[in-house]
Amino acid sequence: MDLTPLKQNFRGQIKTDEASLEKFSRDASIFQIHPTAIVSPENTEDVKALVKFASEHKKTDAELSLTVRAGGTDMTGGSINDSIIVNVEHLNAITNLSTESVETGPGVFFRDLEPKLIAKNVIMPAYPVSKAWCACGGMVGNNAGGEKTFKYGQIKNYVSELKVVLADGNEYTLKPLTEAELQTKIARADFEGQLYKQVYDLIQENFRAIQNAKPTTSKNSAGYFLWDVWDGKTFDLTKLFVGSQGTLGIITNIKWKLVPIERGRQLVVFYLHDLKLLGEIINHVNELKPESFEIFDDQTFRLALKYWPEMIKRMKGSRLKLFWQFLPDMWLWLKGGLPKLVLLAEFTAPTQAEADKQAQTAAHNIEHHFNLPVRLCKSFEETQKYWTIRRESYNLLRQHNARKISSPFIEDIVVHPDQLPEFMPKLNKIIKRYPDFVSTIAGHAGDANFHIIPLIDLSTEEHRRQIVEMSDAVFELVKEYNGSITAEHNDGLVRGPFLEDRKSV
C-alpha cells in the first residue's frame, strides 16, 4: 500500500514498523490480525484527508479499509483488521462542560473525563465496568452499558449530538430533527440530502419489519438500531451511529447528556440457594428501583475464597478489619453452604437518609417475602468488598492460569428476568459440557444480562473447535428465549456471523 499521497496532506502519525503493527494487531478479543498501517490523525482535517484518500484508492485496492480504534478494549475484534487502523488517541479534547452536557473527542479516556464531571456533581451514568481503560469513541461504537444501566439506560440515551466524517470525506453534525427539518435535509441535492433520503426511505418502506425485529430485552447492542431512528415525529441519526462500531463513519466529536450524582447510597446483599426463585426475586427488586442490581455465582465466590489474600490486597483496607467484616458472611455460608448466586442491589438518593430508607424497605421485603439471608452494608469499606468480588475475581482467575487466556465469545447474553428459572439451568448445562473451559458467571441481574468469559487454552485445535460449538449452543438457547446475543459489547468479528439470522438479536 502506497501511503505517499496521504502523507502530503496529513499532520498526524503514520506507522508501518513491525512493533507498531504487532501492538495494534490485538484488542481484548480472541483474535489477532496484523494491519498494514497505523494512522493517528492529529485533528478533524486529518480524518477528512484520510477518508478521501481511502475513497479514491478503494477503486484500485479492493482490500483497503479503515477500522477505527479508541481504547483498544473491544472484546469482539471490532478494533482490528488487516488494512489501516485509525488510532484516534489524539482526538482527545474535553470542551463545553456544564452541569447538563459536555463534549469530548472519541479518544478521551473515561478515566480522564470522570473527575471533571464529579467536580461538577454530575456523571454520564452509562459507563462500562472497564471505565478505567475504555475511551469515549468505543463507548459510543458499542452502545456500552454497565452497573448503572439498569436505572439510567445505555449510551444511546446520553448521546445528544455527533460530528462524523462520512464517506465523501466531509464532516457532518448529526442530531435529532423535527419532521420539517428532516424534509429540508432530504430536499438538498448533495451527499447529505441523499443520505437522509435513503435512510428515511429504507425505514418507511420496511417500518413494520424493522419494528418487529426490535429486541424486547432491556438491553441490546447487536445490529444497527434502525428501529430508534424515526418515530414519526423525530428523526435522529445519532441512534444509528451509536452501536455501529465505526462502520458508518468516523466520529470526531461527541456531545453527552449528564445527570446529577446521587450522593446517598446503600447496598443490600442477599444470597440465593434456589434458582427457581430467581426470576420472581429479580422482578420484585426491580420494582423497588435500585440504581444497580448485580449478580455473581458460586464459582466466583469460591475463587474469591481461594485467593483470599489477594482479594484483601485489592480492597486496600486493613486486613484485620476486612476479616471481621466478612465474619457474618462466613457464618451464613457455614450454616447454609455457599449460595448458588449472590445478588447486590444498591439504592441511591439525594440524601443518605433516603437511600437508607429505600434499602431497608428492600431488605425487609426480600427477607419476609422469600425467606432469604440479607445483609445491609454498614460502611463504605463493607460495600467495597462485595464490589471487589464482583469486579476483580475474574482478573484473579485469568492471572492464575498461565496457559489459558480470557476468551470472550459468549460473554454478553441477555434474556428477560422472568425467564431465568428456566434459562439458567439450561445455560449451566451447556457450560458443563466443556469442563476444560474455566468459567464463572457474573453480570447485571436487573437486566438479566450475564457475562461468561471462559479461560481457554487456544493453542489446542480441539478447544478452538469447541468455541464454535459452544457459541452455537448458547446463542441457540438465547434465541429460544427471544433474547439478544450481545447486550453491551456489540458484535464485531466474534458475533457478526450470527446476525444473518434475525432472531439472533
Side-chain angles (χ1 to χ4, degrees):
M1 183 185 301
D2 182 10
L3 298 175
T4 304
L6 174 62
K7 294 176 182 178
Q8 296 173 2
N9 300 300
F10 198 81
R11 291 182 56 191
Q13 298 171 316
I14 300 175
K15 296 183 177 181
T16 57
D17 61 282
E18 285 302 317
S20 296
L21 300 184
E22 174 68 22
K23 176 182 176 181
F24 284 85
S25 69
R26 295 184 182 274
D27 52 11
S29 71
I30 60 176
F31 303 106
Q32 181 177 23
I33 303 174
H34 281 83
T36 303
I38 313 302
V39 176
S40 303
E42 192 71 32
N43 51 35
T44 299
E45 292 305 310
D46 273 357
V47 177
K48 291 160 70 173
L50 174 61
V51 173
K52 288 177 181 177
F53 166 83
S55 296
E56 291 171 4
H57 289 76
K58 184 75 172 177
K59 300 169 186 175
T60 55
D61 183 358
E63 300 300 315
L64 190 154
S65 65
L66 303 177
T67 296
V68 187
R69 180 182 177 113
T73 60
D74 192 284
M75 302 176 79
T76 72
S79 58
I80 54 177
N81 78 3
D82 60 358
S83 189
I84 297 177
I85 299 293
V86 185
N87 173 28
V88 296
E89 65 178 347
H90 299 309
L91 305 180
N92 58 5
I94 300 174
T95 59
N96 299 322
L97 172 58
S98 71
T99 56
E100 296 181 350
S101 64
V102 67
E103 295 183 35
T104 72
V108 171
F109 281 89
F110 191 79
R111 63 173 180 257
D112 297 324
L113 175 64
E114 187 176 33
K116 296 180 184 297
L117 301 183
I118 292 174
K120 289 276 189 180
N121 199 37
V122 293
I123 196 68
M124 195 293 293
Y127 59 79
V129 172
S130 61
K131 66 178 183 175
W133 309 284
C134 67
C136 290
M139 290 163 61
V140 174
N142 278 348
N143 188 33
E147 296 166 1
K148 298 182 186 296
T149 301
F150 173 67
K151 178 175 180 177
Y152 292 103
Q154 291 181 267
I155 288 292
K156 65 178 183 177
N157 298 336
Y158 296 93
V159 174
S160 60
E161 188 176 296
L162 292 172
K163 290 183 180 179
V164 299
V165 175
L166 299 181
D168 67 340
N170 291 315
E171 184 184 57
Y172 297 92
T173 298
L174 309 180
K175 60 183 179 179
L177 302 176
T178 64
E179 186 171 8
E181 291 171 329
L182 170 63
Q183 293 305 322
T184 299
K185 291 281 189 185
I186 290 175
R188 294 172 62 111
D190 56 13
F191 181 90
E192 187 178 20
Q194 185 181 30
L195 168 68
Y196 277 93
K197 184 179 188 308
Q198 288 178 344
V199 176
Y200 176 73
D201 288 348
L202 175 69
I203 294 173
Q204 286 290 84
E205 292 168 9
N206 302 278
F207 189 81
R208 181 169 294 183
I210 290 170
Q211 292 303 316
N212 288 341
K214 183 177 182 178
T216 57
T217 49
S218 60
K219 289 179 178 176
N220 174 64
S221 288
Y224 294 104
F225 309 151
L226 279 167
W227 42 74
D228 290 333
V229 174
W230 172 241
D231 63 4
K233 295 181 180 180
T234 303
F235 190 90
D236 188 359
L237 276 182
T238 69
K239 303 296 187 185
L240 187 60
F241 276 73
V242 172
S244 65
Q245 288 196 300
T247 58
L248 301 178
I250 299 179
I251 295 170
T252 54
N253 192 71
I254 308 154
K255 185 175 182 180
W256 301 94
K257 299 175 187 176
L258 306 174
V259 300
I261 293 174
E262 300 268 50
R263 291 296 181 183
R265 56 185 60 247
Q266 177 63 272
L267 183 69
V268 182
V269 183
F270 45 104
Y271 309 100
L272 185 60
H273 293 270
D274 186 356
L275 290 179
K276 293 179 181 178
L277 296 173
L278 182 59
E280 188 179 352
I281 290 171
I282 288 177
N283 286 330
H284 183 84
V285 176
N286 283 354
E287 291 177 2
L288 301 173
K289 301 188 183 306
E291 181 180 80
S292 303
F293 191 11
E294 300 292 286
I295 191 170
F296 56 84
D297 67 355
D298 53 349
Q299 287 293 97
T300 304
F301 230 148
R302 289 188 178 91
L303 190 63
L305 294 175
K306 182 177 181 180
Y307 302 118
W308 183 244
E310 291 176 66
M311 291 298 293
I312 289 179
K313 185 177 180 181
R314 288 170 187 250
M315 292 176 202
K316 298 178 181 178
S318 163
R319 293 195 176 195
L320 182 61
K321 187 175 181 180
L322 287 167
F323 174 78
W324 283 108
Q325 285 179 352
F326 264 109
L327 274 181
D329 303 271
M330 293 177 181
W331 176 243
L332 284 172
W333 306 337
L334 287 172
K335 285 172 54 179
L338 282 180
K340 291 187 181 299
L341 294 171
V342 178
L343 295 101
L344 313 175
E346 188 163 60
F347 294 85
T348 59
T351 68
Q352 189 60 46
E354 292 174 274
D356 289 343
K357 184 177 180 180
Q358 292 177 21
Q360 288 162 6
T361 300
H364 178 271
N365 288 354
I366 295 164
E367 193 168 16
H368 285 78
H369 279 83
F370 302 103
N371 193 31
L372 294 178
V374 177
R375 283 190 56 75
L376 274 167
C377 291
K378 298 178 182 178
S379 66
F380 172 79
E381 291 77 15
E382 189 176 3
T383 296
Q384 287 304 106
K385 76 182 181 185
Y386 292 106
W387 284 121
T388 300
I389 293 174
R390 164 67 179 89
R391 295 165 178 157
E392 296 293 335
S393 57
Y394 175 73
N395 288 330
L396 283 174
L397 181 62
R398 182 177 58 184
Q399 291 164 10
H400 283 273
N401 286 268
R403 291 182 63 247
K404 297 185 177 182
I405 67 169
S406 57
S407 304
F409 59 96
I410 55 164
E411 42 69 53
D412 192 31
I413 56 178
V414 58
V415 292
H416 302 82
D418 57 1
Q419 298 171 330
L420 291 177
E422 288 186 14
F423 179 82
M424 289 298 289
K426 292 180 180 180
L427 176 63
N428 281 318
K429 187 176 181 180
I430 293 173
I431 292 172
K432 287 178 180 178
R433 291 181 202 162
Y434 305 91
D436 289 344
F437 294 3
V438 182
S439 303
T440 60
I441 298 176
H444 314 293
D447 298 300
N449 170 206
F450 298 98
H451 299 306
I452 311 156
I453 309 178
L455 290 182
I456 302 174
D457 182 358
L458 291 176
S459 66
T460 71
E461 184 177 345
E462 176 66 8
H463 284 181
R464 294 197 297 272
R465 183 191 64 78
Q466 288 178 341
I467 285 177
V468 178
E469 186 180 284
M470 189 176 186
S471 295
D472 285 338
V474 172
F475 294 159
E476 191 63 36
L477 178 65
V478 171
K479 286 190 289 181
E480 180 184 334
Y481 285 86
N482 295 312
S484 172
I485 61 175
T486 177
E488 300 172 335
H489 300 165
N490 218 288
D491 305 307
L493 299 176
V494 75
R495 285 184 286 267
F498 294 89
L499 292 179
E500 292 185 16
D501 183 348
R502 177 183 63 82
K503 293 182 181 179
S504 69
V505 299

